[in-house]
Each structure stands twice: as structure tokens, then as C-alpha cells.
Amino acid sequence: MKALFAAAILAPLSACAIIPDTPMSNGDAASRGTAVGINQPVWTGDTILTPLAVAEDSRCPMNARCVWAGKLTVSTRIAATHWKQTAPLTLGEPYEILGRTYVLVSATPEKTTDREIPVGEYRFVFEQR
């Protein structure tokens, strides 16, 4: 009788899955290295990055000659297991927080002189180093 009672109690526990303590995002995050648009989360190592807005795009248009290359800065939410922060990530520049380094490694499309880039066309690739 005691064995039957113990089996009845332990059986539901054995069906439970162990879910790792991971950062949260609204929906599924894209795989590491995937180019994502605004409000699309992506895994970078053990962290999820979500580009929220283009804060600055002063890059030199590809069909122009410029004295200064300009820069692209994206307001990005960084979410790890027990913390999150919104930070300005600038294309090609490392951003360090809590011993982790994040880099916005690429952005498309290239800027041109003949049109503005609609926000929905931007795609970003991030790395954790």
C-alpha cells in the first residue's frame, strides 16, 4: 500500500520538464546570427537583444563621397536571465555591460542619396563577444 501511494505521488513529478532560467522576450527569439528588424528579438550567446528604434543613421550614402563615414546607432533592449537594459548600440563599436560585450556587426540596407530608408526595411545582426 505504501509503495502504491509513493508511486502515485512521484508519477506526476517525473512528467515535469525542467525549464532553464532564460531571458524573456515577447515571442520566440531568432537564432544567433540572424538579421532581425525593429522589435524582433534575437539570441546572442546567453542573452536576447531586441532592436527598438534607429536612434541615428548618419552613415555616408553608398552613392556619395563623404568626409566623414557617419554612424548608425540603434536603441537596443538587452535581456539576460536576471536583468535587462536598453542601450544605444553603434555599428561596429563594442558595448560592454556586466562583463559581457555586444556589437552591432551589420545593418542593411545601405543608405543612398535618393531615398529615406523606411523603418521596416532595416535589418541588424548582433554578436556577443
Side-chain angles (χ1 to χ4, degrees):
M1 183 70 152
K2 287 182 184 180
L4 184 59
F5 180 71
I9 290 176
L10 294 176
L13 295 177
S14 65
C16 294
I18 297 174
I19 300 173
D21 193 12
T22 58
M24 299 297 292
S25 71
N26 292 331
D28 293 329
S31 301
R32 177 186 301 174
T34 303
V36 294
I38 297 293
N39 292 318
Q40 296 178 331
V42 62
W43 282 101
T44 55
D46 61 349
T47 310
I48 294 176
L49 273 62
T50 306
L52 302 174
V54 176
E56 176 184 352
D57 189 356
S58 61
R59 296 176 293 169
C60 180
M62 60 186 244
N63 57 345
R65 290 185 186 188
C66 302
V67 177
W68 183 59
K71 66 182 182 176
L72 174 71
T73 301
V74 179
S75 177
T76 306
R77 182 177 41 245
I78 303 169
T81 303
H82 297 288
W83 60 270
K84 65 181 170 180
Q85 174 184 355
T86 300
L89 271 63
T90 299
L91 185 61
E93 295 180 10
Y95 180 85
E96 187 173 337
I97 180 167
L98 298 174
R100 295 176 171 135
T101 302
Y102 304 98
V103 181
L104 172 59
V105 293
S106 71
T108 56
E110 292 289 328
K111 197 169 183 178
T112 61
T113 57
D114 57 344
R115 76 178 193 97
E116 290 291 317
I117 301 171
V119 173
E121 287 186 19
Y122 278 102
R123 294 294 177 267
F124 310 101
V125 176
F126 299 93
E127 283 183 1
Q128 181 178 342
R129 294 184 178 164

